[in-house]
Amino acid sequence: MVRTAVFPPFEIIEGDRSRGLVLLADHAGRALPDEYGDLGLPTTEFDRHIAYDIGVERVTRQLARLTGAPALMANFSRLLIDPNRGEDDPTLIRQLYDGTVVPGNYPMGAEERERRLDRFYRPYHDAVGAMISSVHEATGRSPFIFSIHSFTPVMQGRERPWHVGVLWDLDDRAPKALIDALSEDPTLVVGDNEPYDGALRGDTMYRHAIVNGFAHALIEIRQDLIADDSGADEWAARLAPIVDAVNARPEIHERQKFGSRTGPIEHKT
């Protein structure tokens, strides 16, 4: 677990914006600013999935290198505040997560909640929006937004059979192509909206892709496959040509507003 007095809420990996591709990693980091200590938790809790998405930082760095695309990663632990939730989501700041009580998050007053939004959550999303806008401006076309996550092999005593899952809402342009390409490998069990449903109102894909009509997909890789550098590198190498092929499709760079299964949305112009 890493703490620092000077705390940047995100890291930008520079890349070629003319490629029309943006890589995101909402849960890459597990750090906390000094003032929050360990949120009252043993430091070992920050080695668990409750603190971050295991393996995702390495996969994202390698995928950015292999594709040449820019990437943006959140540095703060989702135990502090979860950037992949809407501001009104009850799981934005968790007080209990997979059996672990988080003392530093309880009680949570309105002032402290707003402070975390202003210092960590909103700067991250401002940076995501700025990167997407810069890619859009560089190409004159709608960007392809690819979000990288990981999931536990077992949850609540149930084994998860998937090696990888692709999450999506109503815009199937990128997800279907990704699922088809990944499924060509007979050794992989590929989940379609598994192990989670990709329709989550207010999350990163909703906020930056769905509302704008940009093609997007969120990938979930099983954590035991990318927990070490060799596994993460292998998955980045597997994904790079697939992501490149999807990004090369003309329809991926057309702005289309599909809406959301979560209900009506106000589209940005």
Side-chain angles (χ1 to χ4, degrees):
M1 214 271 290
V2 177
R3 291 196 303 274
T4 174
V6 179
F7 191 89
F10 57 85
E11 178 183 348
I12 293 174
I13 301 172
E14 287 298 342
D16 182 0
R17 283 162 170 73
S18 69
R19 298 225 53 233
L21 172 64
V22 176
L23 306 177
L24 300 177
D26 299 323
H27 298 145
R30 53 177 165 169
L32 294 174
D34 274 346
E35 66 202 89
Y36 287 96
D38 297 317
L39 293 174
L41 294 169
T43 57
T44 52
E45 293 288 353
F46 289 86
D47 294 328
R48 297 182 59 212
H49 73 96
I50 64 172
Y52 74 123
D53 276 356
I54 294 167
V56 158
E57 179 184 352
R58 178 79 179 197
V59 172
T60 303
R61 291 188 188 281
Q62 291 295 91
L63 190 58
R65 181 181 65 82
L66 292 169
T67 62
L72 195 143
M73 304 188 296
N75 287 336
F76 52 91
S77 172
R78 63 179 163 201
L79 290 175
L80 184 68
I81 189 168
D82 192 332
N84 195 38
R85 296 293 185 271
E87 290 195 15
D88 59 351
D89 193 302
T91 64
L92 178 71
I93 301 174
R94 292 180 184 258
Q95 298 172 349
L96 174 67
Y97 196 176
D98 195 19
T100 294
V101 175
V102 187
N105 291 348
Y106 183 83
M108 178 59 60
E111 184 177 347
E112 174 58 24
R113 181 181 182 278
E114 189 66 18
R115 186 168 181 265
R116 295 189 194 186
L117 283 166
D118 277 343
R119 290 191 58 197
F120 310 107
Y121 179 99
R122 289 171 184 149
Y124 172 71
H125 281 286
D126 287 347
V128 171
M131 176 174 283
I132 291 170
S133 293
S134 71
V135 171
H136 195 184
E137 290 169 5
T139 63
R141 303 180 300 161
S142 295
F144 171 34
I145 305 169
F146 188 68
S147 183
I148 305 152
H149 291 252
S150 67
F151 67 96
T152 58
V154 177
M155 178 59 78
Q156 297 177 344
R158 297 182 61 183
E159 290 190 7
R160 291 161 150 178
W162 311 280
H163 299 98
V164 62
V166 179
L167 277 54
W168 57 290
D169 192 341
L170 286 177
D171 184 349
D172 65 353
R173 289 173 292 172
K176 288 301 185 184
L178 288 163
I179 291 168
D180 288 346
L182 288 164
S183 297
E184 290 180 4
D185 185 338
T187 68
L188 294 182
V189 179
V190 181
D192 182 347
N193 268 329
E194 298 287 0
Y196 309 107
D197 190 329
L200 181 60
R201 195 171 188 87
D203 72 352
T204 301
M205 293 294 93
Y206 181 95
R207 178 170 181 164
H208 296 284
I210 291 173
V211 170
N212 289 300
F214 297 154
H216 60 282
L218 187 156
I219 195 168
E220 292 268 3
I221 308 168
R222 207 173 69 199
Q223 288 171 356
D224 59 313
L225 304 176
I226 57 173
D228 58 31
D229 287 353
S230 62
D233 292 352
E234 178 183 332
W235 267 90
R238 172 185 279 119
L239 289 171
I242 294 174
V243 171
D244 278 340
V246 173
N247 190 51
R249 294 182 171 216
E251 70 273 16
I252 292 297
H253 299 286
E254 297 174 0
R255 189 176 187 183
Q256 298 184 45
K257 298 177 180 179
F258 288 76
S260 170
R261 287 183 278 121
T262 65
I265 61 176
E266 293 182 8
H267 292 291
K268 295 181 180 179
T269 57

